[in-house]
Amino acid sequence: MSLAATARVTAAADGTLPVLESEGPLALRRTRAPGPYTRVTVVGAMSAPLGGDRLALLVDVRDGARLLVDSAAATVALPGRSAATATYDVTLTVGADAELRWLPEQLVSAAGSALRMRTTVELAPTARLVLREEQVLGRHGEPPGTLATRLTVRLAGRPLLDQELRYGPGAPGGWNGPAVLAGHRATGQLLVVDPAFQDKPAEVRLLGEHAVLAPLAGPAALVTAAAPDALALRRVLDEAQGLLAGGR
């Protein structure tokens, strides 16, 4: 039997969380935060998403607030009794002079699963964002499930980034070919949006053999990477995050 669940977080400038609502498998916990951030950790309360599940997470960072959202473990998309595609929709809203660090653990696409994940971000003109997404295609020794992800980011109401990726059975031909993943089983992206990039845009840079850092047409930089496994991918994205932080 599939389920529907929506969790909500609202962060205020004074460090409080006026809204912290868990539902179903999306259990939210306030945890100890580094530095000036309020921190919320997503703790999986049950196996999800399964086939046919409809999950949603709504995060609102009010003007002047600083919020870090992470997760206690990887999210594993699994096959369920229903053959329907599971959905996981994340909506992030960041207000004026506010900052969101969205740093969940990896999304693992297990064999036989089908998941569509969409992340939608709305940023005020002076908002700051650090967003990391990582996909692991299959558990150890197994093929991936069917995975479609879309990341849409708008800054001051205007498009900043809109990209869609598909992997596994049913994905367009060539997704695992030499021009795309070339056999790698982990892929991810790091997006950093900061008004400081207006005066000093990020420079294009190769990060090893299978990762690139590039400026966007706005105060932002995007790192795209592929790696043989989750550990190698995290190392590349951590290095990229350090470079971008040091350049501002």
Side-chain angles (χ1 to χ4, degrees), residues 14 24 42 81 88 94 120 136-137 145 182 185 191 209 223 245-246:
D14 61 1
V42 182
R81 293 183 180 180
Y88 189 3
V94 189
T120 303
V136 178
L137 306 182
R185 282 296 174 264
L191 174 66
E209 190 175 356
V223 177

Side-chain angles (χ1 to χ4, degrees), residues 190-233:
L190 174 73
L191 174 66
V192 178
V193 182
D194 193 313
F197 285 131
Q198 292 280 22
D199 298 325
K200 187 179 179 182
E203 297 181 358
V204 175
R205 182 183 301 195
L206 292 176
L207 304 174
E209 190 175 356
H210 302 290
V212 63
L213 184 161
L216 298 182
L222 178 67
V223 177
T224 304
D229 54 46
L231 183 60
L233 177 66

Side-chain angles (χ1 to χ4, degrees), residues 150-221:
R150 185 169 182 177
L151 173 60
T152 302
V153 183
R154 287 185 286 268
L155 177 65
R158 297 183 177 182
L160 178 67
L161 176 66
D162 194 350
Q163 67 175 23
E164 184 171 355
L165 305 171
R166 296 190 180 192
Y167 309 105
W175 67 269
N176 200 30
V180 188
L181 290 186
H184 290 90
R185 282 296 174 264
T187 182
Q189 42 278 335
L190 174 73
L191 174 66
V192 178
V193 182
D194 193 313
F197 285 131
Q198 292 280 22
D199 298 325
K200 187 179 179 182
E203 297 181 358
V204 175
R205 182 183 301 195
L206 292 176
L207 304 174
E209 190 175 356
H210 302 290
V212 63
L213 184 161
L216 298 182

Side-chain angles (χ1 to χ4, degrees), residues 126-139:
T126 55
R128 296 180 301 280
L129 173 72
V130 176
L131 180 148
R132 183 184 69 215
E133 290 191 336
E134 299 167 296
Q135 298 88 32
V136 178
L137 306 182
R139 293 171 293 190

Side-chain angles (χ1 to χ4, degrees), residues 12 23 30 36 48 56 60 69 78-79 89 92 97 100 128 132 139 145 159 168 179 211 213-214 218 225 238 243 245:
E23 189 174 24
R30 180 166 186 165
D60 183 14
V69 180
L78 296 166
D89 294 315
L92 311 174
D97 298 316
L100 173 62
R128 296 180 301 280
R132 183 184 69 215
R139 293 171 293 190
L213 184 161
D238 282 348
L243 287 172

